Every structure is written in structure tokens, then in C-alpha cells.
Amino acid sequence: MSAAEAGGVFHRARGRTLDAFSSEKEREWKGPFYFIQGADPQFGLMKAWATGDCDNGGDEWEQEIRLAEQAVQAVNKLNPKPKFFVLCGDLVHAMPGRPWRKEQTEDLQRVLSTVDSDIPLVLVSGNHDVGNVPTPETIAEFQRTWGDDYFSFWVGGVLFLVLNSQFLYDASRCPALKQEHDHWLDQQLRTAGQRACRHAVIFQHIPLFLQSISEDDDYFNLTKSVRKEMADKFVEAGIKAVFSGHYHRNAGGTYRNLDMVVSSAIGCQLGKDTHGLRVVVVTAEKIVHRYYSLDELTEKGIEDDLMDLLKEN
């Protein structure tokens, strides 16, 4: 399936919003709902990691195809249906311009085309999608293939912001695009800060931090100066939670009133977690989330205590 063909199968963000949702209609709180978060299907990493060649390996991804298919089947079985299914970056492993990128992308698009048409897909850009040091060309390629690299949308009175965290990591080769992103983000945070929304939530690939705002700089987090600046901005705007991937393990912590949620991967695991997805329930007062293995979610579905939250007024 080509990128053009896939564009007709699932909604893609355009004009810095997601056309699957009517913003005016969705600005009103209508009661609890839930969504599914996944991260890092990253077709090709399992072979690359196993061979110890993450830069040039990755010429097989049958395992990732099966895992992504299982994830889609698990999501499609859920009743009631989730409001949306968000993938927090690293859709494929091959970096821009590297071998197998086209084939990995087409295989993932084929799998994602089987997501229930009533469950919109929300796609977040990761470092393997736009490059560790993105350029205008790599950003443009992502936009052609998957849609906007950053955007906002409303669901049931909740404002969701999708960021391009590579601009926060290293935007040295695309400073003008970072400036546009930062200006847009400031505008969105002003909207959130006016408290016109029940909650405000952020999706980005790279976590602000893995456990603590004061932890050392690492490949898997943002630098101390950037993370503190962004976290303070988010808290002041009333952001309730940030959901990320990138770490291929479950992690997270809190900073002031901000919940930093790091979800493990659909694909390659780098720790002791299982291939899985996170169920996120949004109520009037809180956001509750739980990570499920793909097998658990497929066989048992969502547990009763989470389902009961959906019945609250």
C-alpha cells in the first residue's frame, strides 16, 4: 500500500488539527471516555537490536508486523470503542534516507489500515520518523507520509496537543520550523491556560524525564534545561499529563501536578516489560491509566474497575 493509498484509509492531521474530530462539537464535556496509547512499533528494530547493528541492521520485521497486527486486533475488539488510538512515535526503525524505510512504512500502513474506521488514529513523530536531527526535508517527508508533525484536537471537552519532540532535542538544522512549532505551542498553552477545557493532555515521543525532573541527561530524556522549561510551561497552563514512548520500557513520574507517563513499546522491548498498550480513562476529575500486555488486552479486555469509571457522571 502506498502512502497516497493509505491516506484514504485513516485520518491524517492537516492544518494543525485532526479532521476526525469536529473541534466545535467536541469542545463540550459529555462524560468519561477512554483512549488507547501505543508507542514504538518500530518495524525493523528487533532484528537490528539482536544483531547489535542498530544503524545498519533491521532488514527483517516479520515479528513487528505480527505484534502490530495483534495490537490492532486487540483495539478493534474493545467494547465500547476507544475514542482514538494514539501511536507515540518511532513508527518504523529505518531513519530517513536509510534502506528498507519505504518497505517498513508500507507494511505498517497496511497493518494500520485495518484499524476499525470508527477509531481514529493519532500519529506522533519520533526520532526514527524525522531523524535525530531533523531537516525541512525529513519533516516534509513525514507530513506527506503520515500527516502533520504537530497539531491539536478536542475530544469530549479535553484538549489534546501532539508535539514534535525532535524540535526540543536538536533543531539545529531546522531553526525556522522549531520557531513556528514553539509559537504554535505557546498559543495552544494559552488556550489550555484559560481553563476552557476539562483537561489538557500532551503526546510527544521523547519523555521530559523518565522518573524525576532532576535526573541526569540521557539519550531517552530531554536535557535538564529544556525539560524544566517545558514542564514549568505545561504546569502553568494546567496540562494534566504527558504521554510518551521512546524508552521501550514503562517508566514515569510526577512534577508538581504534571503526570509524566512513559509507555513501553508495541515492538522491541529493551527492558523487562511486555509488548503492550496503555488504556487511558478520562473522567471529570482525573486521568487514570494502566499498561496491558497485548495478550492480556486481547484475551481479557479492560478490567472492571476501569470500565466502572466510564459509568461515572
Side-chain angles (χ1 to χ4, degrees), residues 216-227:
D216 291 339
D217 293 352
D218 187 274
Y219 172 78
F220 290 107
N221 60 22
L222 295 176
T223 62
K224 283 184 181 180
S225 59
V226 171
R227 87 174 71 123

Side-chain angles (χ1 to χ4, degrees), residues 104-115:
Q104 290 172 3
T105 298
E106 289 178 350
D107 280 345
L108 179 58
Q109 287 178 328
R110 177 181 52 77
V111 175
L112 294 181
S113 72
T114 64
V115 173

Side-chain angles (χ1 to χ4, degrees), residues 138-252:
T138 65
I139 298 294
E141 183 208 353
F142 180 87
Q143 292 172 337
R144 288 192 304 270
T145 305
W146 298 110
D148 283 349
D149 56 315
Y150 61 91
F151 54 95
S152 65
F153 60 98
W154 290 78
V155 176
V158 177
L159 176 61
F160 293 94
L161 307 181
V162 174
L163 309 190
N164 182 341
S165 56
Q166 291 313 117
F167 290 142
L168 307 176
Y169 181 80
D170 187 344
S172 58
R173 298 180 67 186
C174 55
L177 292 181
K178 172 181 166 53
Q179 188 174 23
E180 292 174 10
H181 175 272
D182 291 353
H183 177 69
W184 168 88
L185 177 57
D186 286 343
Q187 288 180 318
Q188 298 296 318
L189 292 177
R190 279 195 292 274
T191 298
Q194 293 166 0
R195 305 301 194 270
C197 49
R198 177 68 64 165
H199 304 293
V201 174
I202 285 175
F203 299 122
Q204 60 187 56
H205 179 61
I206 302 178
L208 297 172
F209 55 87
L210 300 175
Q211 294 178 321
S212 167
I213 192 76
S214 59
E215 69 195 21
D216 291 339
D217 293 352
D218 187 274
Y219 172 78
F220 290 107
N221 60 22
L222 295 176
T223 62
K224 283 184 181 180
S225 59
V226 171
R227 87 174 71 123
K228 182 67 163 56
E229 176 190 358
M230 300 308 297
D232 284 334
K233 274 187 178 184
F234 295 168
V235 169
E236 294 304 317
I239 301 296
K240 184 66 66 78
V242 177
F243 289 88
S244 296
H246 190 51
Y247 191 42
H248 294 255
R249 286 153 282 201
N250 286 310

Side-chain angles (χ1 to χ4, degrees), residues 128-141:
H128 281 262
D129 304 313
V130 298
N132 284 322
V133 185
T135 68
E137 291 75 23
T138 65
I139 298 294
E141 183 208 353

